[in-house]
Amino acid sequence: MSETRITLPQWEELAALPDEALPLLPTALLIARDEYPQLDPAAYDRVLQAHADHLRVEVEAIGEWPLKVAAINNHLFNEVGYSGDNDEYYDPRNSYLNEVFERRLGNPISLALVQIEVSRRLGLPLEGISFPGHFLVRLPVEDGVLIMDPFNGGRPLGVDELRERARSNLGGETPDDSVLAQILDPAPHRAILMRMLRNLHGVYAERGEWDRAARSADRILKLAPEQADAVRDRGLAYLQLEHLAGARTDLARYLKMEPDAADAITIRERLIELSGGRPRLH
């Protein structure tokens, strides 16, 4: 097995990093360390490297990129057994990479990250796609791009299925070629990591775990401080936790950032309640 080293970044340094310098795997493991403080990042880096080392001879002997990635997918999803968690899709463990490695279960974005990391270690420039509703991956090929679904074993997706999937998540509108091409643009690392955190925020807010919901929104702001939705989400979580000063600051900032937002009236009502010292908790 090849020697690998991994160092997790500091949250405070991430906002200043350009996207090309933002490390995908280390930052995803940094997200997981919030929930699992004893997490050993090197152990999971070694897991990924073992997958890549196991595949290296086979993949290097294959000429065409689509066949190379098919071999990678076969190993990860059929031999090792990574799969989408259909039974407990919204289990937060599906967003934490250490749990994904341990359980071999994940959601679309965490499985995509495993697939991307192994493929890149084998010389394939696999990229993520922030597809509406369901994260996908893409590989440049001679005649375009190969789109795959990591939640379903890396299965390739054709144009008609992609249009239908997009349509069901875009209010019934079927995207034309230009819109679909835009949807299929590669996702920057920052966008991938923020989507992971938004998934966690949504799960924890639904469960009423407001401390973790606040943490997830706060981590988004560590990556992108001007994300208005994350400012609002943190403020609303603070309100549920009765951290009134924090709630007041965040909700006022949100209204300053987005004065015409669809929920601006509701947020103003919350601020009025806070100014009167009578928060209404739900």
Side-chain angles (χ1 to χ4, degrees):
M1 182 184 297
S2 302
E3 283 294 322
T4 60
R5 292 184 176 87
I6 183 170
T7 302
L8 300 192
Q10 300 296 313
W11 281 111
E12 289 70 23
E13 69 187 26
L14 296 179
L17 290 178
D19 192 77
E20 61 272 15
L22 186 63
L24 185 58
L25 174 67
T27 309
L29 289 171
L30 184 65
I31 291 169
R33 196 172 65 176
D34 276 339
E35 188 67 18
Y36 302 89
Q38 304 306 314
L39 178 150
D40 177 8
Y44 300 108
D45 186 70
R46 287 194 294 270
V47 171
L48 281 172
Q49 193 60 43
H51 294 331
D53 289 342
H54 176 86
L55 282 159
R56 192 170 307 280
V57 172
E58 177 185 1
V59 169
E60 288 180 353
I62 299 171
E64 300 295 325
W65 279 9
L67 297 180
K68 286 177 182 284
V69 80
I72 294 169
N73 290 344
N74 179 64
H75 178 65
L76 293 178
F77 299 115
N78 295 329
E79 296 175 359
V80 179
Y82 289 100
S83 65
D85 190 351
N86 286 294
D87 294 332
E88 297 290 342
Y89 186 87
Y90 295 105
D91 188 324
R93 292 178 296 177
N94 291 328
S95 290
Y96 292 124
L97 276 191
N98 59 315
E99 289 283 4
V100 175
F101 289 128
E102 298 288 350
R103 301 168 66 235
R104 301 289 194 260
L105 288 173
N107 58 25
I109 196 165
S110 63
L111 293 171
L113 200 148
V114 173
Q115 191 183 15
I116 287 169
E117 284 290 324
V118 172
S119 297
R120 288 179 178 176
R121 292 176 192 219
L122 293 167
L124 293 179
L126 205 63
E127 301 168 305
I129 303 171
S130 285
F131 201 81
H134 197 116
F135 200 84
L136 302 173
V137 298
R138 51 175 274 163
L139 179 70
V141 293
E142 287 185 1
D143 56 349
V145 289
L146 174 65
I147 310 298
M148 292 167 284
D149 180 358
F151 192 74
N152 289 292
R155 182 172 69 84
L157 302 176
V159 172
D160 290 343
E161 183 172 355
L162 288 166
R163 287 191 200 281
E164 180 59 28
R165 287 191 180 201
R167 187 189 66 79
S168 64
N169 287 282
L170 295 174
E173 293 289 331
T174 301
D176 59 21
D177 288 347
S178 62
V179 172
L180 184 61
Q182 185 175 11
I183 292 172
L184 296 175
D185 278 345
H189 286 183
R190 184 170 269 103
I192 294 172
L193 295 161
M194 288 167 58
R195 184 158 170 168
M196 291 182 76
L197 286 162
R198 286 194 180 100
N199 287 344
L200 283 167
H201 172 269
V203 167
Y204 287 135
E206 180 67 23
R207 292 179 170 207
E209 297 182 36
W210 295 108
D211 54 343
R212 289 180 167 91
R215 182 183 70 198
S216 300
D218 180 74
R219 293 321 196 188
I220 293 172
L221 294 169
K222 290 292 194 293
L223 287 163
E226 299 306 313
Q227 284 290 308
D229 287 355
V231 173
R232 176 201 60 202
D233 291 343
R234 187 177 65 179
L236 291 174
Y238 282 162
L239 182 59
Q240 295 288 345
L241 294 167
E242 299 190 57
H243 176 21
L244 303 187
R248 185 181 298 110
T249 297
D250 277 352
L251 297 181
R253 182 185 171 203
Y254 172 68
L255 288 177
K256 185 175 181 180
M257 297 169 80
E258 298 286 344
D260 299 320
D263 58 358
I265 293 176
T266 300
I267 297 301
R268 287 192 183 93
E269 290 175 351
R270 294 296 180 94
L271 276 173
I272 291 170
E273 293 164 9
L274 281 168
S275 65
R278 297 187 302 275
R280 181 175 63 208
L281 302 182
H282 295 283

